[in-house]
mmCIF file of all heavy atoms in Angstrom:
data_model
loop_
_atom_site.group_PDB
_atom_site.id
_atom_site.type_symbol
_atom_site.label_atom_id
_atom_site.label_comp_id
_atom_site.label_asym_id
_atom_site.label_seq_id
_atom_site.Cartn_x
_atom_site.Cartn_y
_atom_site.Cartn_z
ATOM 1 N N PHE A 24 20.715 -67.430 140.838
ATOM 2 C CA PHE A 24 19.465 -68.178 140.961
ATOM 3 C C PHE A 24 18.606 -67.969 139.709
ATOM 4 O O PHE A 24 18.036 -68.912 139.162
ATOM 5 C CB PHE A 24 18.665 -67.703 142.178
ATOM 6 C CG PHE A 24 19.159 -68.242 143.485
ATOM 7 C CD1 PHE A 24 19.328 -67.417 144.568
ATOM 8 C CD2 PHE A 24 19.454 -69.584 143.643
ATOM 9 C CE1 PHE A 24 19.783 -67.896 145.786
ATOM 10 C CE2 PHE A 24 19.910 -70.087 144.863
ATOM 11 C CZ PHE A 24 20.077 -69.238 145.928
ATOM 12 N N PHE A 38 22.140 -57.465 152.296
ATOM 13 C CA PHE A 38 22.927 -58.680 152.517
ATOM 14 C C PHE A 38 23.809 -58.483 153.748
ATOM 15 O O PHE A 38 24.249 -57.377 154.052
ATOM 16 C CB PHE A 38 23.850 -58.980 151.328
ATOM 17 C CG PHE A 38 23.143 -59.468 150.102
ATOM 18 C CD1 PHE A 38 22.719 -58.590 149.130
ATOM 19 C CD2 PHE A 38 22.918 -60.827 149.907
ATOM 20 C CE1 PHE A 38 22.088 -59.036 147.994
ATOM 21 C CE2 PHE A 38 22.280 -61.295 148.778
ATOM 22 C CZ PHE A 38 21.865 -60.398 147.811
ATOM 23 N N ILE A 48 29.457 -78.536 169.315
ATOM 24 C CA ILE A 48 30.196 -79.138 170.421
ATOM 25 C C ILE A 48 31.671 -78.917 170.129
ATOM 26 O O ILE A 48 32.142 -79.222 169.044
ATOM 27 C CB ILE A 48 29.898 -80.641 170.547
ATOM 28 C CG1 ILE A 48 28.388 -80.851 170.752
ATOM 29 C CG2 ILE A 48 30.688 -81.268 171.680
ATOM 30 C CD1 ILE A 48 27.960 -82.290 170.746
ATOM 31 N N VAL A 136 22.810 -76.478 142.532
ATOM 32 C CA VAL A 136 24.190 -76.662 142.090
ATOM 33 C C VAL A 136 24.519 -75.712 140.938
ATOM 34 O O VAL A 136 23.788 -75.642 139.947
ATOM 35 C CB VAL A 136 24.443 -78.118 141.651
ATOM 36 C CG1 VAL A 136 25.901 -78.294 141.226
ATOM 37 C CG2 VAL A 136 24.108 -79.080 142.796
ATOM 38 N N GLU A 216 48.251 -55.882 132.012
ATOM 39 C CA GLU A 216 47.713 -54.801 131.184
ATOM 40 C C GLU A 216 46.638 -54.020 131.928
ATOM 41 O O GLU A 216 46.546 -52.801 131.823
ATOM 42 C CB GLU A 216 47.145 -55.376 129.887
ATOM 43 C CG GLU A 216 48.195 -56.012 128.989
ATOM 44 C CD GLU A 216 47.585 -56.741 127.808
ATOM 45 O OE1 GLU A 216 46.358 -56.613 127.604
ATOM 46 O OE2 GLU A 216 48.316 -57.445 127.095
ATOM 47 N N ILE A 217 45.819 -54.725 132.713
ATOM 48 C CA ILE A 217 44.763 -54.060 133.479
ATOM 49 C C ILE A 217 45.367 -53.163 134.558
ATOM 50 O O ILE A 217 44.918 -52.027 134.768
ATOM 51 C CB ILE A 217 43.832 -55.106 134.112
ATOM 52 C CG1 ILE A 217 43.019 -55.811 133.013
ATOM 53 C CG2 ILE A 217 42.884 -54.465 135.120
ATOM 54 C CD1 ILE A 217 42.197 -56.964 133.514
ATOM 55 N N ASP A 245 41.929 -55.845 121.266
ATOM 56 C CA ASP A 245 41.872 -56.927 122.264
ATOM 57 C C ASP A 245 41.335 -58.214 121.654
ATOM 58 O O ASP A 245 41.845 -59.303 121.920
ATOM 59 C CB ASP A 245 40.995 -56.513 123.450
ATOM 60 C CG ASP A 245 41.701 -55.541 124.384
ATOM 61 O OD1 ASP A 245 42.909 -55.315 124.174
ATOM 62 O OD2 ASP A 245 41.052 -55.029 125.299
#
Side-chain angles (χ1 to χ4, degrees):
F24 281 133
F38 288 92
I48 302 174
V136 181
E216 295 172 8
I217 291 173
D245 284 353

